[in-house]
Amino acid sequence: MSFTSLEFLCFLPAVTALYWLCPQRWRWAVLLAASYSFYMSWVPWTGLLLAGTTLLSWLAGRRIAAADAKAVRRLWLALGCGGPLACLALFKYADFALETVGADLVLGLVLPIGISFYTFQTLSYVVDVYRGDLAPEGHLGYYALFVSFFPQLVAGPIERPGHLLPQLRADHQPRWADFCQGLVLLARGYFKKLVIADYFALLADPVFAAVGEANGPGTVAAAALFAVQIYCDFSGYSDIASGAARLLGVELTENFRRPCLARSVRDFWRRWHISLTQWFTDYLYKPLGGSRRGRARQVCNMLVVFLVSGLWHGAAWHYVVWGGIHGCYLAAGLLLGGKLPRLPLPERLNGWARRLWVFLLVCLAWIFFRAETVGDALTLLLALPTELEGCPVTALGADVLAGDTALRSVTLQVGLSTVEDGAFRGCTALEEIVLAGMTPSDCLVGQGLLEGTEATIYVEEAQLTAFRLDYTWSQYAGRIAAR
């Protein structure tokens, strides 16, 4: 039962109506039953794993708060964190680890949907109780609802217990403003997901599915399209989650805050997947030392956080590389003092230039995120300069490309009517001129076309004789060959 399914569109109004019709003391039970029904609609047995993780972390929190001995507290901390992490490692990363070490064994376990999200929520609860930042939740039902609350269970945001638990316990009254805001968020989320993200995926997916055939302009376009697609996909789901929760009187954490307006990569991560960024900051970056132990240690901490962040997104090396790239971006920004060179432009235009620069850096990293493998991502990156050299030419005047010593390949397409004298004079690296689907009558060619080059003119095999005999092309007959 995904958010975009007809079943969910029937499920949400029914749950909302039943929730508001029930007395306050039973509302938690309605939401808990609805949440487990929603979650188990995918793979029923995964509800047992969710319940087991919930029970273990709840018990750990209770025992930590009750214990006086530090060793006992640490033991329950290890159990409360180690159990959920062990489940996450087994179901999400076991096959990845076996493949990495070259083992022949493949477990092929079903990945429980949302396990990365609810694992992090249980970890934050146990750690917060251990630190003394949060009192343990005494009511198992409310805690189980905190872990499994269906609007944010499978796609975030990652909620903190101190923010969500009090709202689940509160005596909510139906408010017209909440219903209106919830419906607006739902409409916005569905528009982002179904209209923009899914359509842009149709445009970008073919490039990533056939990387061997990709060209430079296509790769640039696909990366930009995917950047918009993944934003509308992720933020669309977050909007749907927030809208569904708002119908129930609950306000979820803001997860995306116009990341396209970021003026630095650091600013981007203040706006992108905010709940995940804050989680890693509080529970990994700061415990590692944060910025308190010198610049070199801070850089290392950043890299560790983003490598782990990449692994959290998916069990594959291309996700790890994507995280590493962003870690390097932030480390470079830290070492450079976060300052970019100013252009001789008004401040307003400088701001937009910085935003464009950040967008290009983020798009470069997205290639690794979207590609199936690191090798595929590198193939797309390597295609950029080679295909930009060989991008289709639709109009060619005299000396337009003359003297370009880096140019190696040019494709002339149908629609090009004239190639004037000296068009490629001095292009010493030029190896081929491809006449794509053209006949001799399609284009008039001037003199000196190949002067100073070693290039060969390639034509369709069926047109080879015609080109060699044509009165304008015959001057190059000895250097015309079939493709």
Side-chain angles (χ1 to χ4, degrees):
M1 191 196 305
S2 68
F3 281 167
T4 56
S5 67
L6 180 60
E7 291 86 348
F8 183 77
L9 294 179
C10 297
F11 171 83
L12 179 60
V15 171
T16 302
L18 186 59
Y19 174 79
W20 289 113
L21 289 173
C22 274
Q24 166 62 24
R25 67 180 180 275
W26 295 114
R27 286 178 181 172
W28 70 268
V30 170
L31 288 184
L32 183 60
S35 296
Y36 269 81
S37 298
F38 171 77
Y39 187 69
M40 295 172 69
S41 66
W42 273 284
V43 182
W45 69 261
T46 58
L48 297 175
L49 184 65
L50 175 63
T53 300
T54 299
L55 182 59
L56 175 61
S57 55
W58 179 75
L59 285 173
R62 299 270 292 175
R63 293 293 184 267
I64 288 171
D68 294 325
K70 194 171 186 179
V72 175
R73 287 168 52 82
R74 285 183 173 178
L75 174 62
W76 280 104
L77 174 67
L79 291 174
C81 294
L85 285 174
C87 292
L88 179 63
L90 175 64
F91 287 97
K92 188 170 183 176
Y93 301 110
D95 282 342
F96 171 63
L98 290 171
E99 180 184 355
T100 300
V101 299
D104 294 331
L105 178 64
V106 176
L107 299 180
L109 298 175
V110 174
L111 177 64
I113 189 168
I115 188 171
S116 298
F117 290 95
Y118 72 70
T119 296
F120 272 26
Q121 287 199 184
T122 59
L123 293 180
S124 64
Y125 170 79
V126 173
V127 172
D128 284 356
V129 172
Y130 178 81
R131 291 174 174 174
D133 297 334
L134 180 76
E137 173 57 55
H139 194 292
L140 177 58
Y142 278 111
Y143 179 73
L145 179 57
F146 158 71
V147 177
S148 65
F149 187 49
F150 75 87
Q152 50 83 222
L153 174 59
V154 298
I158 301 170
E159 287 294 338
R160 302 294 182 84
H163 179 256
L164 184 55
L165 271 170
Q167 294 191 74
L168 298 177
R169 277 187 164 278
D171 184 5
H172 295 290
Q173 299 299 321
R175 296 195 311 156
W176 181 247
D178 283 340
F179 286 114
C180 290
Q181 184 63 24
L183 292 175
V184 169
L185 287 168
L186 284 167
R188 187 173 73 184
Y190 280 116
F191 180 82
K192 286 180 179 179
K193 168 59 183 167
L194 299 178
V195 178
I196 302 177
D198 287 358
Y199 177 69
F200 276 36
L202 296 176
L203 302 176
D205 286 352
V207 176
F208 291 100
V211 296
E213 301 174 10
N215 55 43
T219 300
V220 171
L225 288 168
F226 179 69
V228 178
Q229 174 202 336
I230 195 169
Y231 166 68
C232 290
D233 205 321
F234 283 11
S235 68
Y237 274 124
S238 289
D239 286 344
I240 294 170
S242 295
R246 190 63 67 88
L247 295 179
L248 303 168
V250 175
E251 185 173 353
L252 298 181
T253 301
E254 183 183 20
N255 215 19
F256 292 86
R257 190 182 301 132
R258 295 184 293 178
C260 58
L261 299 181
R263 294 192 177 202
S264 66
V265 177
R266 185 184 184 91
D267 187 28
F268 173 83
W269 282 102
R270 293 193 186 105
R271 299 167 176 268
W272 179 273
H273 214 322
I274 299 170
S275 63
L276 179 66
T277 303
Q278 291 177 340
W279 196 98
F280 275 117
T281 299
D282 292 341
Y283 299 105
L284 184 57
Y285 178 71
K286 289 181 179 178
L288 287 174
S291 59
R292 302 188 303 272
R293 300 184 181 180
R295 185 63 55 87
R297 180 63 178 270
Q298 184 180 6
V299 168
C300 289
N301 293 340
M302 282 182 173
L303 291 174
V304 169
V305 167
F306 277 93
L307 289 172
V308 175
S309 174
L311 195 60
W312 181 88
H313 281 85
W317 283 112
H318 61 96
Y319 291 114
V320 178
V321 172
W322 167 80
I325 290 172
H326 273 280
C328 290
Y329 286 162
L330 267 75
L334 177 66
L335 296 175
L336 294 174
K339 297 180 179 179
L340 293 174
R342 287 180 55 83
L343 299 175
L345 298 170
E347 178 57 32
R348 186 178 182 86
L349 292 180
N350 258 293
W352 284 106
R354 287 193 289 271
R355 292 186 179 105
L356 177 60
W357 174 243
V358 171
F359 179 74
L360 293 175
L361 289 176
V362 171
C363 284
L364 177 67
W366 281 137
I367 292 176
F368 284 89
F369 188 97
R370 175 59 183 83
E372 296 296 328
T373 66
V374 174
D376 283 355
L378 293 175
T379 298
L380 290 170
L381 292 180
L382 291 173
L384 289 172
T386 55
E387 288 300 327
L388 286 173
E389 292 170 2
C391 62
V393 178
T394 57
L396 197 59
D399 297 329
V400 170
L401 298 173
D404 187 342
T405 57
L407 190 66
R408 295 193 318 222
S409 174
V410 168
T411 299
L412 307 183
Q413 296 181 329
V414 175
L416 181 69
S417 60
T418 304
V419 179
E420 297 185 5
D421 293 350
F424 302 106
R425 183 178 289 118
C427 297
T428 55
L430 186 62
E431 299 173 354
E432 62 177 18
I433 299 174
V434 179
L435 307 184
M438 295 177 66
T439 66
S441 61
D442 288 333
C443 180
L444 295 177
V445 62
Q447 298 181 353
L449 180 68
L450 304 180
E451 184 178 336
T453 78
E454 300 294 330
T456 299
I457 300 173
Y458 289 99
V459 301
E460 301 290 342
E461 186 171 1
Q463 297 293 330
L464 179 60
T465 301
F467 270 99
R468 287 178 174 175
L469 296 178
D470 184 78
Y471 74 98
T472 59
W473 287 96
S474 61
Q475 59 184 310
Y476 307 112
R479 297 172 69 177
I480 298 177
R483 295 180 65 182

